[in-house]
Amino acid sequence: MSPRPRKDERSINLQEAIKETAWQYIAKYGAPALSLRAIARALGITAPAIYNYYPDRDALVTALIIDAYTSFGDAQIAARDAFPEEDIIGRLHAIGHAYRRWALAHPQRYQLIFGTPVPGYVAPMKQVLPSAVRAFGVLVSVVEAARRAGTLRADSFPPIKPGYEAALEEWKRFSGDADVLSLSVALLIWARVHGMVSLEIAGSLPPFGAGVDALYEYEITSIERQFFREGES
Amino acid sequence: MSPRPRKDERSINLQEAIKETAWQYIAKYGAPALSLRAIARALGITAPAIYNYYPDRDALVTALIIDAYTSFGDAQIAARDAFPEEDIIGRLHAIGHAYRRWALAHPQRYQLIFGTPVPGYVAPMKQVLPSAVRAFGVLVSVVEAARRAGTLRADSFPPIKPGYEAALEEWKRFSGDADVLSLSVALLIWARVHGMVSLEIAGSLPPFGAGVDALYEYEITSIERQFFREGES
DNA sequence: AAGAAAAACAAACGCTGTATATTTACACCG
DNA sequence: CGGTGTAAATATACAGCGTTTGTTTTTCTT
């Protein structure tokens, strides 16, 4: 009846060790090649033993995705907080470049998050959403700060259909009770950045070489010019 | 010594039938779940028989991707040619919406093209590039037409590093010998459109409902306003 | 008719995720 | 201190996968 904690050291370590080994394999051979048996082999255990820590492969993938989102969010939070609260353009710039830098540094993680890396897998929103919202809430918070400061240039922004406030509760919690407008603008910015980064990671871009840097920088500043007024300093 | 054409009817039919069945399976269960054995089962043949038509699964996937690109390109060409050559904004608008319409109508094909749908698969550029270039050459051609007409607003566009002309030969063939500037602008537009569409298809967008339509329309017109001057009519 | 080549097949190999049943080892309680 | 319950790891097994190999059937050319 009473849940009996075992030695607890090895157990928890194994749970983490499984994820760690999984990351190594993903980094080496790509996310879709993830194999429970290979992980078990590397850890010196048998494949079914993993089922003591994750009910099935999808659960492991979910855990990996959450970890990836957390790392992704950390990177963006750090980038944002490197600039003072009032320097909205500075924060935006930093976030945009941190986004690409993280994605290029961990392309497999990025594809694990946004791609369809595993055959039958669909991410369970309930578990993933919090960490995802935390990561994208960073951008939302800065946009919202601009809106509050009156430097958000979004007069002609299309009115988004109402009636989905409930679904966005979680977003608001992590982004300082952002307005729906800020959320929409952030969404569009996110889409632009994701578009370029995902194409670059997938190798779908022509061999522009170092030119991609310039193109990305141009896109970031385009976004800033389109949506943000200079703050009165 | 002499290559002997067989009855040719059944053979070619089977080659096409394999692709057709593959599409049905992809539509039903998604691209990553593609299985040679399942295809063979549906066709009433054995799995190794497929190897007479495609050397391995990757070759089949490549053929499918090329077909998808062709269909994708057809849709964009049709959209463009529905407007007269001088109506550049009209053509851009049509292409943009045709892009999303095709992607939403064939999400699996879209992910097959841009995602990493099959475990160990990497698309062989040599075979895929022509059909890919044909599809994106449509946008490039319209941007180039604007440049020639003097309505392309890209003064502040970043200078892309030179030295990659050779790699872009193919692009030029399909886009009316487009200038490098047109190519770069088209690339940025493509990235923006792809960003929003890919997020929508992946289900990563919040449940904006019909609001996505408005958001997409806004993004399209934003692109037009940023990069294109009204033609003197 | 004879020979060559293409197409299909049957069987097998090694791999995968997963289910089941069994053994081992630890933690607690009387 | 010994018994007991539970968690963790195991061995075994199943069905499915892509692919290889060797063999047989079919079909066309000469």
Side-chain angles (χ1 to χ4, degrees), chain B residues 7 35-37 41 51 57:
Chain B
K7 212 169 197 175
S35 153
L36 293 188
R37 292 181 118 111
R41 219 177 295 128
Y51 284 71
R57 200 190 49 164

Side-chain angles (χ1 to χ4, degrees), chain B residues 1 6-7 11 15 32 39-40 47-48 51 53 57 78 82 85 104 117 129 133 162 201 208 217 220:
Chain B
M1 267 185 66
R6 213 182 139 128
K7 212 169 197 175
S11 308
Q15 173 145 339
I39 295 172
Y51 284 71
Y53 301 94
R57 200 190 49 164
E85 221 173 303
L104 292 182
L129 206 63
V133 165
I201 283 185
F208 272 73
E217 172 71 22
I220 295 281

Side-chain angles (χ1 to χ4, degrees), chain B residues 158-174:
Chain B
I160 305 293
K161 244 192 175 175
Y164 59 96
E165 279 81 5
L168 298 177
E169 273 296 313
E170 202 116 20
W171 285 81
K172 294 197 174 185
R173 288 207 298 122
F174 283 92

Side-chain angles (χ1 to χ4, degrees), chain B residues 147-160:
Chain B
R147 192 192 63 84
R148 288 220 174 102
T151 62
L152 182 62
R153 204 203 301 263
D155 315 313
S156 64
F157 212 83
I160 305 293

